[in-house]
Amino acid sequence: MSMKRTNVYADPKDLAIIKEAAKRRGISEAEIIRQGIHLAAMANRVWDEPLFSRTFRGAGRTPGKPDVRDAVADAVRRETGTGTGTGTGTGTGTGTAA
């Protein structure tokens, strides 16, 4: 990855913390600063697409745990092509023993 040099002003107390952390972790101060810049960049990024593109259809209320569980189960069934039944038996469905 190519890098671009830049200069920033930093609080001396923050730099002391970075220096201590770099020594403790065995990495350079610059690496800690790069990691911090990356975290700040990602936290402020505007994404092209929303994180969750699927929405729950409902009554305009916050879904509860059962609603979420059922919606996830439905989505898994649709994605995997599994049946809609909840049973796992392979019987005839007559309810009588053979």
Side-chain angles (χ1 to χ4, degrees):
M1 165 174 59
S2 68
M3 305 237 184
K4 183 175 179 180
R5 183 182 174 100
T6 187
N7 295 316
V8 297
Y9 290 99
D11 185 285
K13 291 178 184 176
D14 290 337
L15 293 175
I17 293 169
I18 290 170
K19 184 177 197 115
E20 180 184 316
K23 183 177 179 182
R24 184 178 63 250
R25 293 177 59 197
I27 62 175
S28 70
E29 294 171 41
E31 181 59 26
I32 290 179
I33 293 168
R34 280 191 289 272
Q35 290 172 359
I37 290 170
H38 180 69
L39 289 172
M42 297 308 290
N44 290 286
R45 181 177 177 179
V46 177
W47 298 90
D48 294 336
E49 295 181 14
L51 181 60
F52 298 105
S53 60
R54 296 181 182 180
T55 58
F56 293 103
R57 284 178 244 124
R61 60 177 173 73
T62 302
K65 284 184 180 181
D67 299 321
V68 173
R69 182 193 62 233
D70 294 344
V72 170
D74 290 343
V76 168
R77 281 193 291 270
R78 281 193 306 274
E79 294 291 325
T80 61
T82 59
T84 58
T86 57
T88 58
T90 58
T92 62
T94 63
T96 60

